[in-house]
Amino acid sequence: MDKFIIEGPTPLKGTIPISGSKNAALPLMAAAILGNSPTTITNVPKLRDIYTFNNVIRVTGTHVIFNEDDGILTIDPANIAHLEAPYELVRKMRASFYMLGALLGKFGRAKVSLPGGCAWGPRPVDLHLEGLRAMGADIKLEEGYVIGNAPDIMDGGTFTLEPSSVGATINLVLAAVLRAKEFILKNAAKEPDVVLLCKRLVEMGADIEGVGTDRLTIRAVDHLDGVEIRNAADRIETGTFMIASAMHPQSEVTLTGVDTDDLGHFPDTFKRTGTEITMDADRIHIKAPSELNSTNISTDVYPGFPTDLQAQWATMMTQAPGRSKVTDTIYHDRFSYVPEVTRLGADMDVKENKDYIEGKTPLKGASVMSTDLRASVSLVLAGMVAEGETDVLRIYHLDRGYEDLEQKLTKVGAQIRRTDQKE
Ligand code: UD1
C-alpha cells in the first residue's frame, strides 16, 4: 500500500493538464457493448476504476484493448457470451452496475451483482431496478445478484426519478435504446456525463429525444453501430485543481485541456471566494487572492454545486477568515474527511448534512487517513498548505480517480513523494 509524504506550505505556479473524465468514460464504455461493431474511445485516463471496468467488460467475452500511453480504448463486443458481472469486480466499483442496463438492453438477459455499501453511507439502486421494472423487465434479486429478463421488446412506459440520479439515468438509457418501444424518463439527470452518453448513443443510431433536458423519450432501434468517441475532460479534477490553486496566496496556475462548458455554475461560485479566474473554451487561469472570502455552498444536481467537490471546498474554507457552511443535499453523510482535516488543525463541526467551518486556522502536518476518493484529495490539498510534513495514508483511493496526481502537482511546485506505507 502506498502513502504520500507532503512537505508544505508550497504555492503552486505553472500549468496543469486536465485528464479525461473517469465518470464520463465509464458509461461510454458500457455503451460500446451495445454496438454491432467496435467502438474506440479517446482521452481515457489511466485510472484504477477504468482498469476495473475493462475487466468487468472482459468477463462477458468482449475484447478490450487499452493503449494507455495514448489514452485510447478499443472495445469490440462481437463475442459476448457471458451475461454476468460478478461480485468480485462490482464490489470494487459501483459503476460496474451499468452492465445491468447494457446487457439487458442488448441481450434481454443479465446477472449483475448488487454493488453493496460505500464509505459515505447507503447508496441505493432502487431507482435503477424500479425503472427497469416500469419499462417492462422482469427483475429478481437472488443471492446478492440482480437477475434481469426481457426476452422481447418491452413496452416502455413512463418513469419518474425521485430524486434525480446519474447512475439510474445511465442504466435506464442503456437498457431502453435497443429494447423499449417507447420509454419516457422524467426528472432524468442532466449531468454532462449523461448528456455525452446520450449524444454518442444517437451517433451510434439511437433514437433519444430531449437530450440535455430532464425529460428523455427513447424509442428502440434494431441495432447500433460502433463509433469513435472523444471522452470529456474531467470536470471534478478541474474543480479540484481550481480549489488547490486558490488556497495559497502566492499561487497562480493555468489549467489546460478543460471543457469549461461542463462546469455549470461552479466558476461563478468559485469567484465569490475572491479568486481571479479567466476562462477560454479549454483553459482556465487562476490567481489566488491574498485572503479568501468565506463562501457558503450547497450541493445540487447539475448545473448546481457538485457533491464531488464538497470536501475540497470545505477544506479550502479552513483558509478563509470567518465562518462558512457547506451543505450536502445529495449525500447527507459525506463528511468522512472532517476528522482527518481536523487532525491537521481545521475547525470543523458537522451537524446533520452541514459542515460548519471556522477559519482561518493555520494547518500543521500530521498523519491522516484516506477514506474515499474525494476525501483523500482534500487531505492532499490541506497538506500542501500545512506547515511541515503531512503523511496521507491509503492513497489507493486517489488512484481510483486522479491520474498522475503527484506528478501534476509536483510539476507546479508541490512537494509530494509517494512511498510504500508500512502498516
Ligand atoms: C454519480 C457519480 C458520483 C457522484 C454522484 C452525484 C459516477 C460513477 N459517480 O454517482 O461521483 O457523487 O453521481 O453526482 O458517475 N439514489 C437513490 N436511489 C437510486 C439511485 C440514487 O435514492 O437508485 C439517490 C442517491 O442516494 C443520491 C442521489 O440519488 O442521494 C444521487 O445519486 P446518483 O446520482 O445516483 O449517484 P451515482 O450515479 O451513484
Side-chain angles (χ1 to χ4, degrees):
M1 216 185 299
D2 288 350
K3 69 171 178 181
F4 279 160
I5 300 177
I6 305 173
E7 280 290 341
T10 48
L12 305 180
K13 279 185 189 297
T15 300
I16 306 180
I18 296 300
S19 295
S21 161
K22 163 178 88 75
N23 286 356
L26 297 168
L28 297 176
M29 292 161 70
I33 289 177
L34 300 176
N36 278 357
S37 48
T39 282
T40 301
I41 310 172
T42 59
N43 199 28
V44 178
K46 301 185 291 290
L47 292 172
R48 210 155 60 93
D49 277 6
I50 299 291
Y51 294 105
T52 300
F53 204 49
N54 281 344
N55 290 335
V56 172
I57 296 178
R58 283 185 182 119
V59 167
T60 63
T62 306
H63 193 56
V64 182
I65 302 172
F66 189 19
N67 177 344
E68 295 148 293
D69 293 337
D70 298 328
I72 300 176
L73 191 58
T74 308
I75 298 173
D76 182 354
N79 294 315
I80 295 187
H82 191 67
L83 307 179
E84 182 172 340
Y87 175 67
E88 301 77 67
L89 292 171
V90 178
R91 76 182 168 85
K92 290 187 182 167
M93 190 191 61
R94 289 176 55 83
S96 311
F97 204 58
Y98 295 156
M99 292 303 278
L100 181 60
L103 291 175
L104 192 66
K106 176 117 183 225
F107 301 99
R109 247 175 340 116
K111 179 178 177 188
V112 175
S113 169
L114 280 164
C118 162
W120 72 80
R123 289 179 75 186
V125 288
D126 55 317
L127 293 172
H128 302 232
L129 305 183
E130 281 172 29
L132 289 172
R133 285 191 179 115
M135 206 182 285
D138 177 39
I139 301 288
K140 289 197 187 81
L141 301 183
E142 277 175 21
E143 296 169 353
Y145 278 79
V146 180
I147 317 278
N149 268 296
D152 305 315
I153 295 294
M154 299 180 276
D155 281 343
T158 300
F159 186 70
T160 304
L161 289 172
E162 200 51 66
S164 174
S165 156
V166 174
T169 303
I170 290 169
N171 240 337
L172 296 172
V173 168
L174 290 169
V177 282
L178 285 173
R179 203 160 283 267
K181 215 177 276 172
E182 183 177 272
F183 179 64
I184 298 172
L185 185 61
K186 293 186 180 169
N187 201 26
K190 293 181 296 187
E191 267 65 6
D193 315 340
V194 174
V195 177
L196 180 65
L197 169 73
C198 290
K199 283 185 176 164
R200 296 300 85 94
L201 280 168
V202 168
E203 263 173 38
M204 292 170 79
D207 180 354
I208 310 177
E209 220 177 275
V211 174
T213 74
D214 62 2
R215 183 191 167 102
L216 299 175
T217 304
I218 301 166
R219 295 178 193 92
V221 292
D222 66 0
H223 79 281
L224 297 172
D225 296 312
V227 285
E228 269 202 25
I229 303 175
R230 181 171 169 81
N231 182 33
D234 194 317
R235 65 196 173 97
I236 303 302
E237 188 196 26
T238 303
T240 301
F241 287 141
M242 287 169 75
I243 291 171
S245 310
M247 287 178 65
H248 189 294
Q250 269 111 49
S251 290
E252 191 163 349
V253 171
T254 303
L255 305 180
T256 57
V258 180
D259 281 331
T260 48
D261 282 347
D262 285 354
L263 301 178
H265 300 329
F266 182 77
D268 287 335
T269 309
F270 185 69
K271 280 183 203 159
R272 287 174 26 219
T273 65
T275 310
E276 276 176 45
I277 58 171
T278 44
M279 295 204 293
D280 298 332
D282 64 354
R283 62 170 57 211
I284 304 181
H285 183 77
I286 304 121
K287 189 172 182 315
S290 52
E291 195 93 275
L292 285 161
N293 300 329
S294 60
T295 311
N296 299 342
I297 59 101
S298 182
T299 65
D300 205 348
V301 296
Y302 188 84
F305 193 99
T307 171
D308 286 349
L309 288 173
Q310 179 259 103
Q312 299 89 313
W313 191 274
T315 304
M316 169 170 65
M317 284 301 113
T318 67
Q319 300 308 295
R323 189 175 169 82
S324 40
K325 182 172 74 176
V326 164
T327 308
D328 201 325
T329 64
I330 312 280
Y331 292 113
H332 295 187
D333 299 328
R334 200 174 188 179
F335 295 104
S336 63
Y337 60 92
V338 169
E340 300 301 313
V341 184
T342 303
R343 284 175 59 74
L344 298 172
D347 182 350
M348 288 183 176
D349 186 20
V350 177
K351 287 202 182 78
E352 294 171 344
N353 63 337
K354 295 174 178 54
D355 181 7
Y356 296 89
I357 305 121
E358 206 65 63
K360 170 181 183 175
T361 44
L363 301 182
K364 210 163 178 312
S367 285
V368 284
M369 185 84 83
S370 304
T371 49
D372 69 59
L373 175 55
R374 309 301 169 186
S376 339
V377 84
S378 305
L379 301 175
V380 174
L381 303 188
M384 289 192 297
V385 293
E387 194 75 46
E389 182 180 305
T390 299
D391 288 11
V392 183
L393 311 183
R394 299 200 177 173
I395 54 167
Y396 57 84
H397 291 288
L398 283 169
D399 297 332
R400 285 190 46 204
Y402 285 94
E403 189 180 45
D404 300 332
L405 180 69
E406 72 269 35
Q407 289 93 323
K408 288 186 185 187
L409 289 171
T410 306
K411 273 202 184 129
V412 292
Q415 291 194 32
I416 306 181
R417 234 166 8 97
R418 181 186 285 260
T419 142
D420 190 22
Q421 169 188 329
K422 307 222 169 23
E423 289 282 6

